[in-house]
Amino acid sequence: MFKNLFNKLEAFCTSGQELSQEEKFFSGIVGYSDIKKLLLKSVVSKDPVSILLTGPPSSSKTIFLLEMLAGLDNVYFVDAIGVSGPGMVDHLFSNNTKYLLIDEIDKLKRIDQAALLNVMETGILSETKLKGKTRQKNMKLWIFASSNDIERLSKPLRSRFMELHLEEYTYEEFIEIVRRLLKKRYHMDTDVSEKIGYAVWNKMKSKDIRDAIKIAKLAKSSSDVEWLVDMQAKYSKKC
């Protein structure tokens, strides 16, 4: 059940670093040692736990979810900006999902939020289709989510979460997060990863780690970074 989790923790055994389990698991995130510990305890808890990370866009919320996606089994990640309710619900019906990770959960439609609320309250996933046909599934589901605008989240659903507010990180923290994440994910050279972080923060005027990941997928050198950033600036829509 925890094969990926154990593999991720064991990956640090030969590194010479004396790190706690939570620091090993969330190695791509700077700081937040207490939140890392809480999340790891929640992952291995006997009964389902639901945790909501709130705060501004630049506060590592999404990175926490991505680290969990990489280190857990039976996990499903949802970007609520582009997800369709039936798509998410169909996946839960069709797969043995234990951990549901939802980025920007406040973007989910009300009907989809209601489906999650029912699972959290009763342990039953239910859906009513056309012509009144209903299907149900008993399941234990751990939900970890992020939200930039919690006021758009239904109050009953919000009340079922343990809510943690994260503050925006500094430029130095952003660069360190980019460096760690890109080294772990793409084995990227420190100079190139730091240049990506600098370009995203200062040239693209973005604090979104996902922008750094997009560039890292294509950049092989410092000149690649400059070209990619300049091209995006050239063809981006001017407001």
Side-chain angles (χ1 to χ4, degrees), residues 6-148:
F6 292 139
N7 287 342
K8 191 169 185 180
L9 296 180
E10 290 172 358
F12 284 81
C13 290
T14 59
S15 66
Q17 295 175 291
E18 291 297 330
L19 300 175
S20 63
Q21 288 188 329
E22 58 267 20
E23 290 298 336
K24 293 176 184 178
F25 188 78
F26 294 105
S27 58
I29 299 173
V30 178
Y32 298 122
S33 58
D34 46 0
I35 293 180
K36 293 174 182 177
K37 185 174 182 178
L38 174 63
L39 288 174
L40 193 55
K41 282 183 173 292
S42 302
V43 163
V44 299
S45 66
K46 181 179 178 181
D47 295 310
V49 174
S50 296
I51 295 179
L52 174 64
L53 302 177
T54 70
S58 304
S59 55
S60 290
K61 301 186 305 298
T62 299
I63 304 302
F64 270 110
L65 299 184
L66 293 176
E67 292 279 75
M68 297 173 81
L69 175 63
L72 296 175
D73 304 301
N74 305 322
V75 61
Y76 182 54
F77 179 87
V78 173
D79 184 343
I81 293 178
V83 72
S84 66
M88 180 181 69
V89 172
D90 281 342
H91 181 92
L92 294 177
F93 270 110
S94 303
N95 296 272
N96 184 28
T97 302
K98 181 176 181 180
Y99 302 105
L100 177 61
L101 312 177
I102 309 177
D103 197 23
E104 299 196 43
I105 190 174
D106 52 275
K107 304 298 191 299
L108 284 180
K109 297 177 182 178
R110 288 285 172 169
I111 190 172
D112 307 324
Q113 293 186 27
L116 293 180
L117 175 61
N118 191 59
V119 174
M120 296 167 77
E121 285 188 326
T122 67
I124 300 174
L125 177 67
S126 63
E127 179 187 41
T128 301
K129 292 196 166 189
L130 296 177
K131 299 181 180 179
K133 292 184 178 180
T134 301
R135 58 175 175 169
Q136 294 184 337
K137 178 182 179 180
N138 292 314
M139 65 187 311
K140 280 191 171 185
L141 188 65
W142 282 245
I143 303 176
F144 299 93
S146 73
S147 174
N148 295 330

Side-chain angles (χ1 to χ4, degrees), residues 9 47 73 84 87 98 133 150-151 159 164 189 207 222:
L9 296 180
D47 295 310
D73 304 301
S84 66
K98 181 176 181 180
K133 292 184 178 180
I150 55 177
E151 297 306 319
S159 70
L164 306 174
D189 180 79
K207 300 178 182 180
S222 295

